[in-house]
Amino acid sequence: MFKSVSSKVDFSKQEEETTKYWKKNKIFEKSVTSRPVNKRWTFLDGPPFVTGMPHYGSLLSSLPKDLFGRYWTMKGYRVRRVWGWDGHGLPIENKVENELEIMRKRDIEEVVGIKKFIDECKHYVNVVSSDWEWYVDRIGRWVDFKNAYKTWDTNYMESVMWVFKQMYDNGFIYKGLKVSLYCPHCSTPISNFEVAMDADNYKDTKDPATTYKYQLEGEKNTYILAWSTTPWNKIVTPALAVNPKFTYVKVKQGNEFYILAETTLKMLEEKPKYEIVEHIKGKDLIGKKYVPHYDYYAKNANGKLFEIIGGDFVTAEEGTGVVTIAAYGEEDLKVMQEQGVHIETHLDDEGTVKPEVPQFGGMYYLKANKLVDEDLAKRGLIYKEVDYVHRVPLCWRCHTRLYYAPIDAWYVNVKKLKPLLKQTNEDIHWYPKHFKHGRFLKSLENAPDWNISRNRYWGSPVPVWECECGERFVPGSIEELEKASDKTIKELHKPEIDDVTVTCKKCGKNVHRVPEVLDSWIEAGSASFAERHFPFDQTEKLEDFFPPDFISEYTGQIRAWFYVLHVIGGALYKSQAFKNVNVTGVILGTDGRKMSKNFKNYPDPAEMLDKYGGDALRLYLLGSPVMNGEDILISEDHYKMQVRGTMLILWNVYNFFITYANLDGWKPKAKVSKSENILDQWILVLLENLKTNVTKSLDGYDTVEAIELIKSFVNDFSTWYLRRSRDRVGPTAEDEKDKQAFYQTSYEVLVTLTKLMAPITPFIAEEIYRNLTDEESVHLASWPASAEASKNKPELLEHMQVVRKIVELGLAARKENQIKVKQPLLKMTVQLDEQTNQIDEKLHYLLLDELNIKKVEFTKGKDETTVVLDTTITDELVAEGQVRELIRKIQEERKKLETSLDEKVNVSLESWPVQFTDYIKKQALIDTLSEGNFEVTRLG
Ligand SMILES: [Zn+2]
Ligand SMILES: [Zn+2]
């Protein structure tokens, strides 16, 4: 006997029970350890930020991670699944700053002290929210929480140190003055990809766009015009740049002469009318001197000053074809370095104009904008000023507006790595495919060198001890550092690590570490190695886990995590960093905006999980276009539909099977003869194809297709196979052999189906599988092997399709003639079109039964398949129809009385066609049938 099943199922409650069962019996652990150690499928988890709360986005990325983990486990592989926490970096520092009421970065050192600040950071990350575990259980994700790796653990940090060392030794790390996006509040450079991850990190801002006049030295009333949107940066203008290839013109307007690119003449004011007096080649302007607007830094200058230089990057799209050059721009700084222009920085690390700057010293840089332009306007040095709206980047952490600043920092030489990175990208299987040569390749091509140092505190140290003489010591392990410093090292964080000094090998001086910490993306990108404390822990060989078989995250990580993994994989091993990657889209709020508590534009995920459960969420999201990298709007309806659709349909089929199998005391048999029933044969062929096709989809990481296949199969199983098989079982069924065949077939289908569904909907699959078998768990079972789909009797499938098409037409014809299906009819004529082959006679009975017709005749015709009903209704047919209706009424009453399926009842009817007395009694399980008011009563 199987455990009896109720049609009133609460999936959510049932899932909670299943979770308890899994935990109690250590099914997850068993699913890992029961697979051979030397046959692995490796998965690398992108760790969530330790302070983050679970949301639909983090739940979404958990689903493919769980699905493919279960799938490959069933295919016989050992799949290690360890959770990780990301906990270094600005988000934690900002939280602690708020808690300690720190308003400015320098207070960390001057007021609070680094030690206390770091202790607070540690305290903060070690109180991990327990919410995660609840969500992870509810969505059915199997992952090892207890052994979660943490990026701030010493072991993890030591591996990161080793990664840095490898990159350094391989020549991919350099120190240099380069321009980075910079946050004046956090006083640290910010990676451009950190900003680019989220559209909210930009805002439209109105700034003045000013055309400045720079007088050419020795040429009175002659000005070169230069356009700029950063007045604060005009305080220092050591050079102007022109494009040597452009043609410039000198025009006379009023009493003054202006020089600008010929193609930009339209920017000149209309009045007074100007005239062109001279054409000048760009290259002929190079070397000319101009009169600076401010020259306080001239006395300390080191290099070219107040000179026109040439630069190919100068465009004439906006402005005048002349660019003011200063250190606060990427192209600017590059050309200054190349051409030996004096480099002057006039902002401090909090975005304030340095105190030694006359007039503007001590001002926040944006505040200087207005005053600079006012001053220059007063002095007649502004040609015109207009408002200009543009998108500016914001700090992803504190939302302060960023600017480009020259920073002396540590960089990964991405430029040098690029050819390799493009080549190793070819080895990655991207799902969906288009990201490979689309967004990912583009972000590789456009990537600047990666600034990996932060002028902050809470992070892995930049492991470089740099002597005044230029000599550097870069240890790759704690042991190496201990030897060099003659100290025992327990702590790699600031401030302790800064007390560790080594002796310079070249000059013998005492050397300190450089002050910076590493960008936490270096840690995320080192996860493959660091989560295993590689290479210090040698229990696993590199080739056993690198590159991992699978990673999955949302589209924002294309430029971020996927990118940093790939860079580090390339720099260390000239290898791609992962074999397969599944990129999901983003789940947006119901209104198409980003989900936000303020907008109230999404249903609470905890509430939804409680209501509909984890399987339904999995079916919903894993089957939606979000798995193909597209963005979707969250929809409670779509979520709910999974329960009412596939899950309940399957449950009802299962319920039917269990109910009748128990009634007949049926037990699965080890050896069975092949069913002669065409429906059984058909559903088994469909099942074979399902095995083949679901395997193919999941091998290709296509969850959407796998779920479509399963949904469509469950539908066929219920609405055709079971619907046409209902009469094969129960007390009225007569063909014992056929009954056995039905049970055996349904059983086989259900057992195989639950295995195929196990990775997708682990709860319902487990529930059904465990009731049907004596096994401990479907997740310990093996994936069903599949035959070649093409061998699977295509003609039977084709014939069944024709049958179902004819049924559809027949039902439509009944509707058109307003004859209910309950009313038997004598004959139907089916005209098959030329392409459709005659269907096997064995299938005819399905048509007769389903359409309640006594005879079917086939003809051939040119047009599409048509159906004609013989609508003659004889007295005999009327009586048969009445009998069917009476039986239906009695069955309904039986249900109300909750009689068991084989229980006999007494029935009184006002009248019935007497020639059908025995038939009615038999079909409705009637003991005594009498005349009277309609009534169904239990015996005794
Ligand atoms: Zn910031
Ligand atoms: Zn030295």
Side-chain angles (χ1 to χ4, degrees):
M1 283 283 272
F2 301 104
K3 180 179 84 184
S4 69
V5 173
S6 165
S7 59
K8 292 186 193 90
V9 57
D10 180 342
F11 289 116
S12 174
K13 266 221 179 72
Q14 189 172 286
E15 290 176 3
E16 280 182 319
E17 292 305 315
T18 304
T19 303
K20 275 186 212 155
Y21 170 80
W22 284 341
K23 288 195 174 181
K24 191 169 163 236
N25 294 282
K26 299 204 181 313
I27 305 296
F28 166 42
E29 290 81 351
K30 285 178 191 167
S31 82
V32 178
T33 53
S34 62
R35 281 9 187 200
V37 180
N38 57 4
K39 191 179 175 191
R40 295 158 189 254
W41 185 82
T42 43
F43 148 72
L44 181 67
D45 202 354
F49 214 78
V50 69
T51 54
M53 282 291 287
H55 51 83
Y56 284 107
S58 45
L59 299 184
L60 168 66
S61 75
S62 271
L63 300 184
K65 293 173 187 176
D66 186 71
L67 185 156
F68 290 107
R70 288 179 191 269
Y71 173 64
W72 287 95
T73 299
M74 291 181 77
K75 285 183 69 148
Y77 290 78
R78 181 179 278 233
V79 185
R80 173 186 184 272
R81 277 160 277 178
V82 178
W83 188 266
W85 294 111
D86 191 0
H88 271 150
L90 272 184
I92 304 293
E93 290 201 26
N94 284 157
K95 292 250 159 81
V96 171
E97 279 179 359
N98 289 340
E99 258 172 37
L100 298 176
E101 292 178 356
I102 295 168
M103 300 303 289
R104 17 190 287 157
K105 182 190 158 194
R106 68 178 60 159
D107 290 348
I108 295 172
E109 293 187 35
E110 291 168 9
V111 181
V112 176
I114 298 177
K115 174 85 179 114
K116 177 160 193 224
F117 185 74
I118 294 296
D119 284 346
E120 284 295 317
C121 290
K122 274 187 199 164
H123 175 73
Y124 202 90
V125 292
N126 283 321
V127 186
V128 171
S129 154
S130 56
D131 290 335
W132 281 96
E133 206 163 349
W134 184 88
Y135 280 95
V136 162
D137 281 347
R138 288 310 317 252
I139 61 172
R141 180 170 178 196
W142 275 355
V143 64
D144 180 357
F145 259 110
K146 265 187 261 122
N147 297 307
Y149 67 85
K150 296 170 178 150
T151 58
W152 61 98
D153 280 348
T154 310
N155 281 350
Y156 196 98
M157 290 169 76
E158 188 181 24
S159 289
V160 170
M161 194 176 182
W162 173 83
V163 167
F164 183 97
K165 165 89 167 169
Q166 304 313 301
M167 290 203 283
Y168 187 85
D169 286 353
N170 290 346
F172 294 121
I173 287 185
Y174 69 91
K175 189 186 181 187
L177 184 70
K178 290 190 62 140
V179 167
S180 263
L181 278 172
Y182 187 84
C183 175
H185 173 262
C186 301
S187 296
T188 190
I190 302 284
S191 290
N192 60 327
F193 63 77
E194 284 174 329
V195 177
M197 272 178 88
D198 189 340
D200 283 2
N201 293 335
Y202 295 90
K203 77 167 180 198
D204 284 332
T205 302
K206 197 157 75 180
D207 278 325
T210 316
T211 308
Y212 297 97
K213 292 156 65 177
Y214 290 89
Q215 194 208 315
L216 287 185
E217 208 175 80
E219 295 185 42
K220 202 160 176 277
N221 287 345
T222 301
Y223 299 91
I224 188 157
L225 297 181
W227 180 87
S228 165
T229 59
T230 52
W232 62 270
N233 199 15
K234 300 296 92 67
I235 298 170
V236 174
T237 308
L240 297 172
V242 295
N243 192 320
K245 291 187 195 125
F246 289 177
T247 300
Y248 290 79
V249 287
K250 185 194 263 187
V251 300
K252 183 169 188 293
Q253 191 174 35
N255 296 323
E256 295 185 336
F257 295 90
Y258 303 120
I259 294 169
L260 69 164
E262 186 174 25
T263 53
T264 65
L265 278 166
K266 58 187 179 306
M267 65 75 55
L268 290 172
E269 303 283 8
E270 282 177 9
K271 282 174 186 171
K273 229 172 134 61
Y274 67 82
E275 58 176 303
I276 298 173
V277 297
E278 192 183 348
H279 285 78
I280 314 168
K281 283 183 180 142
K283 65 176 166 52
D284 293 337
L285 288 168
I286 294 170
K288 283 184 185 289
K289 295 274 195 172
Y290 60 89
V291 181
H293 294 170
Y294 304 101
D295 65 354
Y296 74 94
Y297 51 97
K299 52 185 182 295
N300 301 319
N302 171 20
K304 283 182 192 166
L305 200 63
F306 311 139
E307 203 177 295
I308 296 172
I309 60 171
D312 290 339
F313 63 92
V314 177
T315 67
E317 278 157 20
E318 279 173 318
T320 61
V322 182
V323 172
T324 61
I325 295 293
Y328 294 82
E330 200 181 337
E331 300 282 10
D332 294 38
L333 183 65
K334 220 164 91 191
V335 77
M336 289 168 95
Q337 285 167 332
E338 280 164 10
Q339 302 196 22
V341 176
H342 169 68
I343 292 169
E344 181 77 20
T345 57
H346 61 294
L347 301 188
D348 72 5
D349 62 1
E350 293 180 338
T352 306
V353 181
K354 287 179 177 169
E356 66 266 26
V357 179
Q359 277 177 273
F360 310 106
M363 248 174 230
Y364 191 57
Y365 78 104
L366 284 175
K367 199 182 159 208
N369 268 353
K370 197 166 162 243
L371 299 170
V372 168
D373 272 5
E374 271 173 17
D375 180 51
L376 294 177
K378 231 187 310 170
R379 291 159 59 192
L381 296 172
I382 286 181
Y383 178 81
K384 76 171 177 184
E385 185 183 296
V386 292
D387 283 339
Y388 180 71
V389 177
H390 57 156
R391 245 157 61 97
V392 299
L394 308 178
C395 178
W396 62 279
R397 197 51 230 167
C398 71
H399 284 275
T400 302
R401 179 169 166 183
L402 304 174
Y403 59 87
Y404 288 93
I407 304 286
D408 208 11
W410 296 88
Y411 290 89
V412 172
N413 196 334
V414 174
K415 199 178 160 200
K416 197 163 144 191
L417 277 165
K418 254 179 218 183
L420 171 76
L421 298 181
K422 281 158 92 173
Q423 188 195 322
T424 48
N425 179 35
E426 294 304 311
D427 302 331
I428 302 173
H429 171 233
W430 286 85
Y431 187 89
K433 202 163 69 194
H434 63 84
F435 288 121
K436 179 179 194 145
H437 293 135
R439 224 188 286 186
F440 190 67
L441 183 63
K442 286 210 178 72
S443 64
L444 279 184
E445 280 167 346
N446 297 328
D449 283 354
W450 174 15
N451 179 344
I452 52 168
S453 56
R454 296 288 177 268
N455 303 84
R456 297 294 309 189
Y457 306 95
W458 177 238
S460 271
V462 172
V464 179
W465 276 252
E466 192 174 38
C467 179
E468 288 164 23
C469 77
E471 179 72 8
R472 286 174 187 160
F473 170 60
V474 183
S477 69
I478 291 176
E479 195 189 347
E480 208 180 329
L481 182 58
E482 284 181 332
K483 272 193 189 138
S485 66
D486 204 18
K487 257 192 173 175
T488 307
I489 314 269
K490 287 248 150 42
E491 177 56 89
L492 290 174
H493 283 109
K494 275 169 161 289
E496 285 87 345
I497 192 70
D498 293 335
D499 294 336
V500 178
T501 58
V502 300
T503 307
C504 176
K505 274 195 178 143
K506 211 166 154 192
C507 72
K509 276 198 189 117
N510 196 30
V511 183
H512 283 268
R513 192 185 71 82
V514 300
E516 295 93 351
V517 295
L518 286 171
D519 176 6
S520 58
W521 284 103
I522 280 274
E523 300 177 318
S526 304
S528 266
F529 316 106
E531 72 157 322
R532 293 174 167 83
H533 195 209
F534 184 84
F536 309 103
D537 183 337
Q538 286 283 353
T539 35
E540 287 177 81
K541 287 203 250 21
L542 182 72
E543 58 268 29
D544 288 340
F545 63 83
F546 183 84
D549 288 298
F550 181 63
I551 62 170
S552 174
E553 296 294 335
Y554 81 111
T555 40
Q557 300 290 8
I558 291 176
R559 290 151 167 267
W561 193 51
F562 300 158
Y563 170 72
V564 299
L565 283 171
H566 193 63
V567 168
I568 291 175
L572 263 61
Y573 293 112
K574 296 195 170 81
S575 161
Q576 90 264 39
F578 38 89
K579 289 180 195 157
N580 302 284
V581 55
N582 187 323
V583 190
T584 72
V586 176
I587 307 179
L588 299 167
T590 46
D591 56 0
R593 289 189 288 181
K594 201 177 152 173
M595 280 189 255
S596 153
K597 282 208 172 109
N598 296 335
F599 302 154
K600 294 197 173 76
N601 59 351
Y602 64 96
D604 179 56
E607 220 172 87
M608 293 296 102
L609 281 166
D610 261 339
K611 227 162 149 180
Y612 310 117
D615 275 346
L617 184 74
R618 296 170 73 111
L619 274 179
Y620 166 34
L621 293 179
L622 290 167
S624 92
V626 79
M627 294 309 297
N628 292 331
E630 293 171 31
D631 295 350
I632 59 163
L633 311 191
I634 189 76
S635 156
E636 184 173 349
D637 278 345
H638 286 184
Y639 189 171
K640 192 163 63 183
M641 260 157 50
Q642 312 302 322
V643 178
R644 303 214 175 138
T646 307
M647 293 185 57
L648 271 178
I649 295 174
L650 174 64
W651 191 260
N652 289 335
V653 178
Y654 163 63
N655 183 18
F656 180 90
F657 169 81
I658 293 289
T659 307
Y660 283 93
N662 279 346
L663 187 71
D664 285 331
W666 182 84
K667 281 194 193 77
K669 288 172 198 66
K671 258 200 164 171
V672 285
S673 49
K674 199 171 160 252
S675 169
E676 279 161 24
N677 186 297
I678 197 91
L679 275 170
D680 293 346
Q681 290 171 14
W682 173 74
I683 196 74
L684 290 174
V685 171
L686 272 195
L687 185 70
E688 264 324 298
N689 284 351
L690 184 71
K691 280 195 244 175
T692 310
N693 294 329
V694 170
T695 306
K696 214 163 98 194
S697 307
L698 293 183
D699 280 348
Y701 296 89
D702 187 345
T703 62
V704 177
E705 191 180 72
I707 287 178
E708 266 169 24
L709 289 164
I710 282 174
K711 283 184 172 177
S712 136
F713 180 86
V714 169
N715 232 17
D716 286 339
F717 187 33
S718 162
T719 59
W720 190 244
Y721 175 78
L722 189 75
R723 181 183 165 83
R724 288 296 355 119
S725 294
R726 279 178 187 275
D727 295 342
R728 297 169 64 188
V729 291
T732 55
E734 275 161 4
D735 185 341
E736 188 55 34
K737 204 173 144 203
D738 187 54
K739 195 194 262 187
Q740 293 296 327
F742 166 80
Y743 286 134
Q744 192 60 40
T745 304
S746 304
Y747 180 79
E748 194 182 327
V749 170
L750 280 167
V751 169
T752 304
L753 182 61
T754 50
K755 285 185 194 168
L756 295 173
M757 290 179 76
I760 298 166
T761 50
F763 295 108
I764 193 172
E766 184 76 311
E767 177 67 25
I768 296 177
Y769 183 80
R770 286 192 49 230
N771 194 18
L772 294 175
T773 69
D774 294 329
E775 306 292 325
E776 198 173 11
S777 168
V778 69
H779 303 288
L780 301 176
S782 293
W783 187 254
S786 53
E788 276 292 315
S790 55
K791 289 181 192 154
N792 293 335
K793 294 199 181 184
E795 69 285 351
L796 175 54
L797 296 185
E798 209 177 283
H799 285 190
M800 196 60 92
Q801 219 163 9
V802 176
V803 167
R804 294 178 76 178
K805 173 77 192 165
I806 295 169
V807 163
E808 209 177 284
L809 292 171
L811 292 174
R814 274 185 171 273
K815 202 166 178 194
E816 206 174 288
N817 290 296
Q818 297 186 333
I819 305 168
K820 287 186 181 162
V821 182
K822 291 218 163 46
Q823 177 58 60
L825 292 175
L826 282 176
K827 200 179 83 179
M828 168 171 76
T829 313
V830 178
Q831 179 192 290
L832 295 174
D833 65 32
E834 275 177 342
Q835 288 86 31
T836 309
N837 293 324
Q838 186 57 260
I839 54 169
D840 195 326
E841 265 184 49
K842 277 192 216 153
L843 278 84
H844 288 187
Y845 87 97
L846 293 169
L847 288 173
L848 302 182
D849 279 1
E850 179 68 18
L851 290 169
N852 198 11
I853 283 170
K854 301 206 176 285
K855 197 174 148 200
V856 59
E857 274 175 12
F858 287 90
T859 61
K860 268 282 185 188
K862 257 193 174 171
D863 304 332
E864 294 288 302
T865 302
T866 57
V867 161
V868 177
L869 295 175
D870 180 349
T871 54
T872 325
I873 302 177
T874 60
D875 289 348
E876 184 70 9
L877 290 177
V878 171
E880 272 184 47
Q882 282 172 350
V883 166
R884 274 207 177 213
E885 181 60 25
L886 286 172
I887 293 171
R888 187 192 62 81
K889 266 173 77 179
I890 298 165
Q891 298 289 20
E892 251 172 37
E893 282 307 304
R894 289 178 58 101
K895 243 184 217 165
K896 279 185 207 157
L897 289 171
E898 294 182 349
T899 62
S900 65
L901 289 169
D902 53 355
E903 183 180 342
K904 288 206 167 184
V905 286
N906 290 333
V907 174
S908 61
L909 291 170
E910 281 170 19
S911 67
W912 67 90
V914 283
Q915 70 272 36
F916 287 102
T917 304
D918 287 346
Y919 179 78
I920 295 170
K921 283 177 77 174
K922 194 168 163 234
Q923 289 299 316
L925 288 181
I926 297 169
D927 189 65
T928 313
L929 179 59
S930 54
E931 237 182 278
N933 286 337
F934 174 58
E935 199 182 14
V936 179
T937 49
R938 302 178 86 142
L939 303 186

